[in-house]
Amino acid sequence: MNQVYLWSVALLTTVIAVSTLYRLWSERYRLAKEDLNDEDRAFAWRLVVFVIFPLFVFLDLRATTVTTEFLGGFIKNFTYGIIWYEAFPAALQEKFITPAMFSGEVVQCVLALILLPALLFRPHPFLSTVIGYTAAFVLGLNFIAEPILSLVGFGGSKWALAMSVGAANARLPLVLVHAAFAGLYLLVVRSARMRLWFSELTRPEASDELRRAISTWHASPESAKLAFRVGLLYDRAGLRRQARKLLSRLKSEYRHPLYANFLEGILAYRRREYKKARQAFLLTADFPPVDGELKATLLAAAACSAFAEGELIQAINLSERALEFDDQCLVARMVKVDVFLRQGKKEKAGEEILVAMRMGLTLDLENKVPLDTDRAFECLISAEKATVGERTLVSSKRRN
């Protein structure tokens, strides 16, 4: 039964690996992109897990097999040639063969670390992403995931041997070494500077813009608008933890609910918390200065969230509301197309696409789902300026 299971997993992995390699060739335009979106990064993860990592596993198995056989044969021949006690070779095997089982893990980790210096030469964003994901995945699996799985009974044979009674002399050093490397790994991965540096390699345009925005914000730290802009750029650069911290400051320190709801909706959508995202977008759309194109954009974002949540009726209703404020809102029309296709209404979906094409819309949704943050930010700032101007004019008339 175990053999059938292993062969089934191997066959499935091979099929996915071949499919990934085919997509790598057919979608090779991703390799030349300077600004990677979420789909590109998801494809990079797939390439790492199903193509690159199996090669690491093969090297792990070969290194473990060769090292174990070599040490086993050496110990057996050496001890039998000198001492005629059969118990002594067994003791030596417990002492030396158990650590040898982890030679494959050492090979994997060393190869992952060898890849990292290539990042110092700032390769292309897609290649940088693949290298970084490979190192993070391999090191995290060996130092954290596999030891934890072994504690709950799903570890590999090497961990079963290491945790056996006969290997007690190697158990404590093994645990201490893995704990030390796991702590160092988490410290590096969660470092804000390291994440910003990796973002500069994989998303250079967003990171450059983020650095300029941070510099401007530090010059005027009291500005909620600049803080809001930095939060949006944190999200675009992939620094979601920093974006969440800035969201907390917008709520508590700046006390600006409009900016806070807008940013919360985007971050919730990224975390696939679609119900929370929809509520945040609707709250933002209900603010007095929000109207026209901006209101349509926010309602369309709420429609995206509803569709992702599976609420088709809500999605179509929100899309219709969005089109009432801006008939050329592409996201709203494409949500309607998706809803009609999900409902099997292909003719209505085709009609929506034809209407969008007659309006001259390009049907390009890259970096526009659930909304185009740059355009929405511009509309939001313009709406706030107009509102402030109207209030100033009204107050001056009252004085006169």
Side-chain angles (χ1 to χ4, degrees):
M1 188 64 184
N2 290 334
Q3 290 295 326
V4 173
Y5 171 76
L6 291 175
W7 278 105
S8 299
V9 171
L11 180 61
L12 180 61
T13 303
T14 303
V15 171
I16 298 177
V18 172
S19 172
T20 303
L21 289 174
Y22 175 76
R23 282 189 59 189
L24 183 64
W25 168 253
S26 61
E27 302 176 12
R28 55 189 179 277
Y29 64 88
R30 298 181 189 275
L31 305 179
K33 293 178 67 173
E34 294 292 338
D35 186 16
L36 304 181
N37 55 30
D38 291 337
E39 186 178 352
D40 298 325
R41 286 182 286 275
F43 180 72
W45 267 120
R46 176 172 173 171
L47 186 65
V48 169
V49 174
F50 293 106
V51 177
I52 298 177
F53 180 65
L55 298 178
F56 277 74
V57 173
F58 175 75
L59 292 175
D60 181 340
L61 295 174
R62 290 298 303 162
T64 302
T65 302
V66 171
T67 306
T68 305
E69 290 178 353
F70 172 77
L71 285 178
F74 175 79
I75 292 171
K76 183 177 180 180
N77 295 331
F78 179 76
T79 53
Y80 280 178
I82 299 176
I83 303 174
W84 298 98
Y85 294 102
E86 295 185 0
F88 192 62
L92 283 178
Q93 288 183 20
E94 289 178 2
K95 187 174 182 180
F96 293 105
I97 297 297
T98 300
M101 292 290 291
F102 288 83
S103 58
E105 177 181 319
V106 174
V107 170
Q108 281 195 14
C109 294
V110 169
L111 288 177
L113 292 174
I114 288 176
L115 292 175
L116 293 179
L119 297 177
L120 299 176
F121 297 95
R122 302 183 69 86
H124 191 274
F126 189 84
L127 181 58
S128 298
T129 303
V130 171
I131 292 174
Y133 284 178
T134 300
F137 182 76
V138 171
L139 296 176
L141 182 68
N142 284 292
F143 293 148
I144 299 177
E146 194 168 1
I148 292 177
L149 290 174
S150 68
L151 293 177
V152 296
F154 292 100
S157 58
K158 61 183 180 182
W159 279 98
L161 178 61
M163 293 300 152
S164 63
V165 178
N169 58 342
R171 189 182 308 158
L172 182 59
L174 187 64
V175 172
L176 291 178
V177 168
H178 274 79
F181 278 117
L184 181 62
Y185 170 81
L186 292 175
L187 184 65
V188 172
V189 169
R190 293 183 63 83
S191 170
R193 290 186 177 181
M194 181 62 65
R195 295 178 71 88
L196 181 59
W197 175 71
F198 185 67
S199 177
E200 291 175 355
L201 296 175
T202 58
R203 314 181 199 197
E205 296 179 1
S207 298
D208 290 342
E209 195 173 353
L210 173 62
R211 284 190 176 275
R212 292 193 296 268
I214 291 176
S215 178
T216 306
W217 176 43
H218 286 170
S220 303
E222 73 284 352
S223 173
K225 179 182 71 175
L226 295 178
F228 172 53
R229 180 62 175 165
V230 170
L232 293 176
L233 291 173
Y234 270 138
D235 170 70
R236 185 185 300 175
L239 305 174
R240 305 280 160 74
R241 185 155 54 95
Q242 286 80 356
R244 289 195 295 271
K245 290 181 179 179
L246 205 49
L247 172 61
S248 300
R249 294 187 63 181
L250 285 172
K251 290 180 177 180
S252 59
E253 182 178 336
Y254 292 98
R255 298 183 182 277
H256 203 299
L258 179 59
Y259 293 160
N261 287 330
F262 188 100
L263 183 58
E264 185 172 22
I266 293 174
L267 296 180
Y269 191 90
R270 298 283 189 262
R271 296 194 303 269
R272 302 181 185 275
E273 298 175 358
Y274 298 120
K275 185 176 182 179
K276 186 176 181 180
R278 179 176 45 157
Q279 293 173 348
F281 288 133
L282 290 177
L283 285 174
T284 310
D286 290 338
F287 274 82
V290 176
D291 200 4
E293 179 185 349
L294 178 59
K295 195 175 187 73
T297 298
L298 293 168
L299 290 172
C304 275
S305 303
F307 178 78
E309 193 182 359
E311 298 288 342
L312 301 185
I313 303 300
Q314 285 287 335
I316 201 73
N317 291 338
L318 289 170
S319 297
E320 294 289 356
R321 285 185 59 194
L323 293 173
E324 291 176 3
F325 290 94
D326 182 12
D327 194 46
Q328 294 189 346
C329 182
L330 176 61
V331 174
R333 291 205 174 275
M334 291 302 101
V335 169
K336 289 183 65 177
V337 170
D338 289 337
V339 171
F340 288 146
L341 290 176
R342 182 74 64 84
Q343 294 175 338
K345 302 176 181 178
K346 297 182 180 180
E347 294 183 359
K348 288 189 175 181
E351 291 174 2
E352 286 293 335
I353 294 176
L354 290 175
V355 169
M357 294 177 66
R358 291 194 192 102
M359 290 181 175
L361 302 179
T362 60
L363 305 184
D364 181 14
L365 291 175
E366 187 170 2
N367 296 325
K368 296 178 183 177
V369 177
L371 49 77
D372 185 342
T373 53
D374 286 337
R375 181 58 184 163
F377 177 78
E378 294 174 1
C379 293
L380 183 58
I381 300 305
S382 299
E384 281 204 312
K385 287 181 178 179
T387 303
V388 172
E390 291 177 0
R391 290 175 180 173
T392 303
L393 181 61
V394 170
S395 60
S396 62
K397 287 182 178 180
R398 288 178 180 176
R399 291 173 185 173
N400 295 333

